[in-house]
Amino acid sequence: MAHVEDVQHPFWGIDSDVESDRGVQLPLTDQAIVDAERLLDVTLPASLLDLLREQNGGLVASGRDASPTSRPTSWAPDHVPFDSVMGIGHREDTLSMLDGPYLVEEWGLPAGVVLISGDGHYWIGLDYRTCGRHGEPSVVWFDADDSSELTLAPDFRSFVAGLTSALEFESA
């Protein structure tokens, strides 16, 4: 089995652009994790928390900004975007996983989901509906416009290991 170190680097985007800190929360603390898990009523995957300890949300490296799909979605016939990850915190004008319960309700998404990325019309989330609040959630694409969903990976570690560059799909 792959260790998080194997799939972690390079994970976070490095950009000289002013937008490079978009979505980054204050450094993650153990207390913030406890508070987030209490608010969300789940146990977050260790592999996700390892990444958030390195950088608490933000842009994903361009080599990992897409997830291949097993069938077409409203986004593309063969992949979905994954350009950023929500961190855990309360930074102003920045979405956080803590905003998830409101966003799930606002966009009509299923209960039992923790959102980790998205823009409103589409989301990528941790799906606890099958595994329970303390199990290992699958990673799912949710399209709010057409009320569809697609499992991307059986767990977060596998999801990260399968990420690739969106540029790979442009030549296909």
Side-chain angles (χ1 to χ4, degrees):
M1 173 173 256
H3 295 284
V4 73
E5 297 82 22
D6 300 333
V7 297
Q8 187 169 342
H9 300 288
F11 183 82
W12 297 109
I14 299 171
D15 192 349
S16 61
D17 190 326
V18 162
E19 291 275 315
S20 64
D21 71 341
R22 182 181 66 138
V24 179
Q25 300 286 338
L26 294 174
L28 190 61
T29 64
D30 290 340
Q31 187 59 51
I33 294 169
V34 168
D35 293 345
E37 290 182 332
R38 185 175 300 129
L39 173 78
L40 300 169
D41 196 26
V42 298
T43 299
L44 293 167
S47 53
L48 171 61
L49 294 174
D50 288 347
L51 286 172
L52 294 178
R53 283 183 180 101
E54 180 182 323
Q55 178 178 303
N56 192 5
L59 296 176
V60 173
S62 60
R64 295 185 179 263
D65 62 355
S67 177
T69 58
S70 59
R71 65 173 169 78
T73 66
S74 61
W75 181 264
D78 51 7
H79 74 286
V80 294
F82 187 69
D83 60 351
S84 65
V85 177
M86 290 184 223
I88 296 171
H90 297 287
R91 186 171 172 200
E92 192 171 334
D93 298 327
T94 301
L95 282 181
S96 162
M97 278 191 266
L98 303 178
D99 298 312
Y102 164 78
L103 295 168
V104 163
E105 184 176 331
E106 176 73 17
W107 288 96
L109 301 174
V113 170
V114 173
L115 302 177
I116 60 171
S117 186
D119 78 347
H121 299 282
Y122 69 85
W123 299 97
I124 293 177
L126 305 172
D127 188 351
Y128 288 87
R129 294 176 291 178
T130 302
C131 68
R133 296 184 335 242
H134 303 294
E136 186 70 30
S138 59
V139 179
V140 177
W141 161 269
F142 297 94
D143 188 315
D145 290 337
D146 69 8
S147 299
S148 66
E149 61 184 73
L150 175 64
T151 299
L152 300 173
D155 56 62
F156 186 77
R157 183 184 307 277
S158 299
F159 173 72
V160 171
L163 292 173
T164 188
S165 172
L167 295 175
E168 290 184 23
F169 297 98
E170 289 182 9
S171 61

